[in-house]
Amino acid sequence: MEALAVRLSGLDPYVDGAMRIVAFYDTLMRRRVDLPALARASAGLAECVAGIRLHGSGRSTRVSPHGTAAATPAVPASTEVAVTLDEEEIGTVWLERPGPPHPLDEVLLDRFALAAAGAAERYGPARTTMADPALVELVISRGTDDAARARALRLLGFAPGLPVHVVAVRTRLPLDRVGALVCPSRPVKAAPLADVGVLLAAAVDRTGFPEGVRAGIGAAEGPDRSWRRARTALRFTSPREPVVHHADLGALALLADIPEEAVRDNPDVTALGRLTPEDLETLDTYCATDSVRRAAELLHLHHSSIARRLDHIGRALALDLSTPTGRTRARLALLTGRLLDEEASGGARDDGPFRG
C-alpha cells in the first residue's frame, strides 16, 4: 500500500499534497493536541488565518499564520467545513484566505474538522447536545446524593456553581434541535426519559421553542426540584399556552396536588365533560381574555355569536359567566380537568375532553 501511495504521489502533485496534509493531521492527532494548538498548526500549514468555532461555547478562535491571535475584524471565510461528532454538528472550521481558495483547501479543512472533533471530545465534555440518559437521570433524581449529582453535572459539561434549569419537553422534533434553539450559547444537554424529553440548560429562552413543542420549565433551584416543577408546569401546557414556567403558576401549581378522585367528583369538572370541543374552546378563550370581544377576535367570530355561546355554556354548567366568581369557577374547572386528562393520558394526546 505504501509503495502504491508513493507511485501515485509521483504521478500527481495534488495527490502528493493531499497525502502530506493527511499525514500532517494524523501526526497532530497522535500527539493529542488541543484546539488552540490545532488552530495554530492549521494556520501555519495553510499560510492564512484559520478559525474554529464550537456551538457549545459560542466562542471563536482565529489564528494568524504566525501563530498569534488574528487581528479583528474577521475576513469572510474563503472556505469552511462543519465539525461533526456522533453525527451532530458541533462547530465549524474555516480559512480566511485572500483571493480564491487553494486547490488543497478542501482536503485541509476536512482533516482540520476531523481533528477538531477529536480534540473537542478529548479535552472537555463532548460538545454534542444529546447526553447519556443515565447521567441525566442521575442529575434530576430526588434520591441522588450531592456528590454524585455534582460529578454527573461535571461529566455533562456544567461547571461547579453554574445554575441549571430543567425543562420537561414533549415534541416530535429532535431534542438536540430544541435544545440548541432555546439555549444557543450556553451549556445544554438533552436526553429522552420515559415518556418525556429532558433538557438541562444554564439558561432558557422561552421564545425559542419551535411550534408544536410543549415545554414545562423549572427554576434553577437544584436539578431534582427543578425537574419536579418542570413536570408540573408541563401538565399546565395547552395549544394556547405551549410553554409554561413553573414560577409563573404561583398558587395555580397547587391544583396539580389535588387527588384525582376529588377532581373527578367535582360537579364543575364533571359538567365540562358534557360540552362540545367547540364550546370548550370558546369557554377557554373567554376565561383567558376576560372579554367577549377579544375572544371573538381570537376565534374569528362576531361578538354576538360568542355571547350566545357563552349563554348556552353558562346554562349547561349552571354558572353565571358574567360574574367574576363564575369565570373563576369555570377557569379552575378547565385547569383541573386538563390536569386530570394529562395525568390519565401521560401527555401522549392533544385531544382530550378538557384540552383548551
Side-chain angles (χ1 to χ4, degrees), residues 138-142 144-153 223-224:
L138 194 63
V139 168
I140 63 177
S141 174
R142 182 184 294 188
T144 303
D145 61 67
D146 291 342
R149 195 186 322 277
R151 180 177 182 275
L153 284 169
D224 54 334

Side-chain angles (χ1 to χ4, degrees), residues 36-331:
L38 182 61
R40 289 194 297 271
S42 299
L45 179 63
E47 298 183 334
C48 68
V49 172
I52 302 175
R53 179 187 301 108
L54 294 182
H55 301 329
S57 65
R59 293 190 297 270
S60 298
T61 300
R62 297 173 59 249
V63 182
S64 74
H66 308 294
T68 58
T72 53
V75 175
S78 55
T79 44
E80 63 180 7
V81 168
V83 179
T84 59
L85 183 61
D86 295 335
E87 300 183 355
E88 179 184 340
E89 182 178 326
I90 64 168
T92 308
V93 295
W94 69 91
L95 299 177
E96 299 175 19
R97 187 182 298 283
H102 189 279
L104 288 169
D105 281 355
E106 183 178 352
V107 177
L108 188 153
L109 281 170
D110 283 341
R111 301 303 294 184
F112 186 9
L114 182 64
E121 185 175 31
R122 183 180 304 118
Y123 290 105
R127 299 301 180 184
T128 54
T129 300
M130 297 305 294
D132 182 351
L135 271 181
V136 172
E137 188 170 10
L138 194 63
V139 168
I140 63 177
S141 174
R142 182 184 294 188
T144 303
D145 61 67
D146 291 342
R149 195 186 322 277
R151 180 177 182 275
L153 284 169
R154 284 197 302 272
L155 291 173
L156 289 169
F158 292 91
L162 188 69
V164 178
H165 296 262
V166 184
V167 184
V169 179
R170 286 201 176 97
T171 177
R172 291 191 175 100
L173 298 175
L175 278 176
D176 58 339
R177 177 182 166 191
V178 177
L181 289 171
V182 301
C183 189
S185 61
R186 295 172 180 265
V188 57
K189 294 294 177 182
L193 194 63
D195 63 330
V196 69
V198 184
L199 298 179
L200 303 177
V204 179
D205 176 9
R206 62 189 303 168
T207 66
F209 288 97
E211 185 178 354
V213 174
R214 298 281 192 94
I217 307 171
E221 51 187 357
D224 54 334
R225 190 175 185 184
S226 183
W227 167 240
R228 294 194 301 273
R229 296 194 166 188
R231 288 297 300 263
T232 296
L234 181 63
R235 294 178 62 194
F236 281 87
T237 61
S238 68
R240 188 178 305 284
E241 193 174 8
V243 179
V244 174
H245 199 300
H246 186 275
D248 295 336
L249 291 173
L252 291 176
L254 298 174
L255 296 176
D257 296 328
I258 298 175
E260 179 182 330
E261 183 178 351
V263 175
R264 292 188 182 280
D265 288 343
N266 184 270
D268 287 351
V269 176
T270 303
L272 288 178
R274 297 193 293 268
L275 297 182
T276 66
E278 184 180 70
D279 286 341
L280 284 169
E281 183 181 22
T282 300
L283 179 61
D284 184 58
T285 305
Y286 173 62
C287 288
T289 59
D290 200 22
S291 166
V292 172
R293 290 189 178 274
R294 180 59 181 150
E297 291 175 7
L298 293 175
L299 295 174
H300 307 291
L301 294 170
H302 194 274
H303 65 87
S304 61
S305 298
I306 296 297
R308 284 194 297 272
R309 283 192 189 180
L310 290 173
D311 184 60
H312 159 73
I313 293 169
R315 290 196 302 271
L317 299 179
L319 292 175
D320 184 354
L321 297 176
S322 66
T323 66
T325 299
R327 290 193 296 274
T328 299
R329 284 177 58 182
R331 188 176 184 218

